[in-house]
Structure formats: C-alpha cells, structure tokens
Amino acid sequence: MGTRGLPRIGLRGVCCRQGSVDGAQCPYGTHVRVNGIVKYGRDVMTKAKGQRPQRELLSRYGRITSWYASLSVRADRPRGHPPGRESRASILFEGEFTEAVRGVARFLIQVSPTEKPDIGNAVVPNVGAFISVKPELQGMVDVTECEFQRLLTISASGRVAWCFVAFTVPFYRSALIVSIDFSTRALDGGE
C-alpha cells in the first residue's frame, strides 16, 4: 500500500494484494481473476468488444376492430427552393392484441406508402416501429405503393380482421417491428 492507505500503482495497474478467488473482481475494479489468470483493463469487462446484443422477439395476434384511411395534400415553397407539392396517404388500424404487452393490449398501427421503404439502420432489421407503448401501442409501418393499394382494397371490402406482428421487446417505450401481416382469416381458421 502506498501513502494514506491508497493502493500502490505498478506497471500492470493497481495491486490489491488481496487473495481474490476465481471470478471475483478486485476491490479497486482494475483486474479480475479467471481460472487462475489475472486479467487487466478491457479484459475486465464482461462483454467482448464487437459483440452485439441479441434482442428477443415477441409476437402477437391482433383483432382489428376498426380502420380509417386518410389522404393529405399540401403545397409549399421552402426558402431558396421552387414551390412543390406533397401528398401523404395512410391507413390507421385500431384493435386489441390477444395477449397484452406490458399490461397493454390495445394498438393503433399506421400504414403509409413510400417509394422505397427501407429496413432501418438498427441492429435488428425492421419494417416499422412502435413509437409509444402506453396508453396503447402506437406503431408506424412503411410499405410500397403496390402493397398499400392491396391493403386498402382488402380493408375497403370490410374483410381485414386480424393482424400478426413480430417485434422486439419494448425498450424505453418503443420497439422495432420486424414483420407484420394482415389477414381476412381469424385465428381459429374461420372467416
């Protein structure tokens, strides 16, 4: 020990001079003994560098109780740019999952067309996200124009009844949607 009861610093780091058992970290947090070998510095961390966290996936069936379609068109002249026109269409599905997620079963999922939907830039490839978990799960999904037209046709015929959603475990009140399916067939196989 150095002066004033502080540990003495040597070439290999802080020396605790206490006989630590395997798997125990030294009291100063500088090294750990594993199988009789003392590891210092970055080796003390439990996760290896470059190791990605594995996200558990949840899946739920949902009964769609209602849906709404909307179309918005706007013209704008951003400063320094020529005037332009934008349009945005979407379908909003409301319903309840057959099994609750963190005590919440009600969901709102908005589906919108885009020219080129991407799979996100997160660790888990995704088609959308739940942006809020409470008071209901609020999700957003982007699809191609063709897929949107098919879904709108099924919805307008009054036959869309169920959805199946696979998503990551909610983390900080949001989750990534890995896949989503809309169906006219009920869980038990009936129409």
Side-chain angles (χ1 to χ4, degrees):
M1 294 295 269
T3 58
R4 296 188 196 171
L6 297 174
R8 188 176 66 223
I9 298 177
L11 294 176
R12 304 231 40 205
V14 178
C15 177
C16 68
R17 298 215 185 259
Q18 295 177 3
S20 58
V21 295
D22 276 357
Q25 193 169 354
C26 96
Y28 303 111
T30 59
H31 66 273
V32 66
R33 184 180 298 274
V34 179
N35 294 332
I37 300 170
V38 178
K39 295 187 176 186
Y40 292 89
R42 290 188 178 166
D43 295 334
V44 173
M45 293 188 282
T46 57
K47 259 176 41 178
K49 185 178 178 185
Q51 182 181 11
R52 292 186 173 193
Q54 296 219 342
R55 298 289 300 261
E56 180 185 352
L57 293 180
L58 301 176
S59 60
R60 296 291 188 270
Y61 283 97
R63 174 107 174 123
I64 296 173
T65 55
S66 61
W67 68 277
Y68 309 96
S70 69
L71 173 69
S72 62
V73 180
R74 80 177 202 153
D76 192 15
R77 180 186 299 220
R79 180 174 281 187
H81 295 283
R85 178 181 168 136
E86 289 182 11
S87 65
R88 182 82 173 166
S90 66
I91 304 173
L92 181 68
F93 293 99
E94 287 187 38
E96 287 195 16
F97 288 125
T98 55
E99 185 181 343
V101 178
R102 294 195 177 170
V104 178
R106 187 168 144 67
F107 67 82
L108 297 168
I109 298 175
Q110 179 180 331
V111 180
S112 301
T114 63
E115 288 181 21
K116 230 177 160 184
D118 61 356
I119 57 169
N121 59 358
V123 174
V124 179
N126 60 80
V127 296
F130 283 114
I131 57 173
S132 177
V133 176
K134 290 187 178 181
E136 68 257 331
L137 283 117
Q138 296 178 8
M140 300 182 75
V141 176
D142 286 333
V143 296
T144 64
E145 184 68 41
C146 182
E147 293 165 340
F148 183 80
Q149 290 301 324
R150 289 178 190 157
L151 185 58
L152 184 60
T153 302
I154 295 170
S155 301
S157 70
R159 295 184 40 125
V160 67
W162 290 92
C163 68
F164 175 79
V165 186
F167 53 96
T168 58
V169 176
F171 185 68
Y172 285 110
R173 292 183 243 157
S174 65
L176 299 174
I177 299 174
V178 176
S179 73
I180 187 164
D181 302 314
F182 294 95
S183 178
T184 59
R185 186 171 287 239
L187 290 172
D188 58 5
E191 286 287 322

